Amino acid sequence: PGSTFSTDYGPALWNPTTCNYSSRNGTAVSAITIHTVQGSYAGCISWFKNCSSNVSAHYVIRSSDGQVTQMVLESNKAWHVGSENPYTIGYEHEGYVNDASWYTTAMYNSSADLSRDVINSGYGINGIRAGFWPWLATTYYNQSSIPGSCSRIKGHMHYPNQTHSDPGPNWNWDYYFKLINNNPTVTTLTAASGNLYDSGGAAGNYSNDERSVWVINPSGATSVTLTFSSFNVENTWDYLYIYDGNDVWSPLIGYYTGTTSPGAVTSSGGALTVEFRSDCATTAAGWNGNWTSTSGALFVLPILNKI
């Protein structure tokens, strides 16, 4: 027999639980919860269909190939994150929190595709508010009360009133953020030298909910050096990333927050990429930077004809 597919998300198989869900009672969807099964894809689906389990999620995602099964309509309330169920859509990812090998490229890509679909479904979820912070994978809301409600795509471990610790320290939030927000506006800078300021310019503050990318790629350059004369972004929450190459997938040189200036950063080749991410509240002066470059042009001295 042919498979039945989801009406909410076309690529997903539709294999519903008949019992472990309820009405949202008019509460609007405004967040996505990332879970890890602590078991297998098939076992998770079976458990959610067991009416004595009293648990479910909207989607289950397989590790090997990213296959997605939907078990609860997005319009209904799945039972996956306790007190925070009414406003969230939940995904279970096959695997175990202590074994990073379950978090495959296929799974990340499939999950991010699903998240983009949810973001584009009119719920008002901003992909820029996906959790990305370097500390997120080892931070638990019940210990720190962060990241808080500003973050709209985050783990089970990041919601209030929870006892679970998934997806845990092996989930790569930075990678997932970049997959979800996979089409940033890029400013390409091709001059041999110039100034690089945050969006507020030389004197103003940057804005909230920013994701800005600059590629410094001077024509013919063999190296680029970016030097910061000032640096001030909201500590812990807003970050500048610098990559050794011409996009955000190039090797990471470093990330910077607060007033810890990158100083002078030099590429190994002809391009540097600079990415800035800010959260939903509190801005700062940003940075003033200047780049210079070296060129591989060869200067050939003319040969004088002997008389």
Side-chain angles (χ1 to χ4, degrees):
S3 299
T4 301
F5 288 91
S6 161
T7 56
D8 280 335
Y9 179 56
L13 302 176
W14 174 240
N15 189 359
T17 177
T18 60
C19 42
N20 297 317
Y21 69 93
S22 51
S23 170
R24 293 190 186 274
N25 292 320
T27 302
V29 171
S30 61
I32 295 168
T33 307
I34 302 300
H35 300 269
T36 302
V37 172
Q38 291 300 97
S40 73
Y41 177 72
C44 181
I45 292 168
S46 177
W47 186 236
F48 288 168
K49 290 172 77 80
N50 181 339
C51 293
S52 66
S53 72
N54 293 313
V55 290
S56 65
H58 294 89
Y59 295 97
V60 186
I61 303 172
R62 189 160 65 189
S63 172
S64 61
D65 58 359
Q67 184 184 84
V68 182
T69 289
Q70 184 177 15
M71 303 196 68
V72 177
L73 290 173
E74 292 178 10
S75 58
N76 286 326
K77 179 172 67 175
W79 300 345
H80 60 105
V81 65
S83 60
E84 313 310 294
N85 286 328
Y87 64 92
T88 60
I89 292 174
Y91 312 169
E92 286 283 359
H93 296 80
E94 181 182 29
Y96 298 85
V97 296
N98 291 328
D99 185 351
S101 67
W102 288 93
Y103 298 147
T104 61
T105 299
M107 174 181 275
Y108 277 118
N109 277 302
S110 177
S111 183
D113 289 346
L114 173 58
S115 286
R116 285 197 305 277
D117 185 78
V118 172
I119 287 164
N120 292 327
S121 292
Y123 299 120
I125 298 173
N126 184 351
I128 300 299
R129 293 197 182 179
F132 68 85
W133 303 282
W135 43 262
L136 192 63
T138 54
T139 295
Y140 302 89
Y141 187 90
N142 62 2
Q143 295 173 359
S144 62
S145 298
I146 60 174
S149 61
C150 180
S151 179
R152 307 313 298 176
I153 304 174
K154 55 191 173 182
H156 192 169
M157 59 201 272
H158 302 129
Y159 285 85
N161 310 310
Q162 306 305 310
T163 59
H164 289 225
S165 58
D166 56 308
N170 290 308
W171 183 264
N172 189 332
W173 287 103
D174 177 72
Y175 181 57
Y176 194 56
F177 176 94
K178 289 192 285 192
L179 290 173
I180 291 172
N181 299 290
N182 66 341
N183 190 28
T185 299
V186 177
T187 301
T188 302
L189 304 167
T190 58
S193 62
N195 295 315
L196 182 69
Y197 303 117
D198 61 273
S199 62
N205 286 14
Y206 58 82
S207 300
N208 292 317
D209 289 323
E210 275 196 27
R211 200 245 179 145
S212 303
V213 179
W214 299 264
V215 176
I216 306 172
N217 192 10
S219 179
T222 54
S223 72
V224 177
T225 297
L226 176 60
T227 303
F228 291 81
S229 57
S230 65
F231 188 83
N232 180 12
V233 304
E234 185 191 9
N235 189 47
T236 306
W237 296 100
D238 300 342
Y239 282 83
L240 188 76
Y241 294 75
I242 303 177
Y243 305 91
D244 190 9
N246 62 4
D247 61 32
V248 297
W249 300 106
S250 300
L252 178 68
I253 293 173
Y255 54 77
Y256 310 89
T257 189
T259 56
T260 303
S261 175
V265 179
T266 300
S267 66
S268 65
L272 277 176
T273 296
V274 178
E275 176 189 14
F276 179 63
R277 307 175 194 170
S278 63
D279 76 339
C280 73
T282 310
T283 64
W287 64 88
N288 291 349
N290 173 267
W291 82 87
T292 57
S293 60
T294 58
S295 170
L298 296 176
F299 296 93
V300 180
L301 294 174
I303 298 173
L304 299 177
N305 292 322
K306 292 182 179 179
I307 298 175

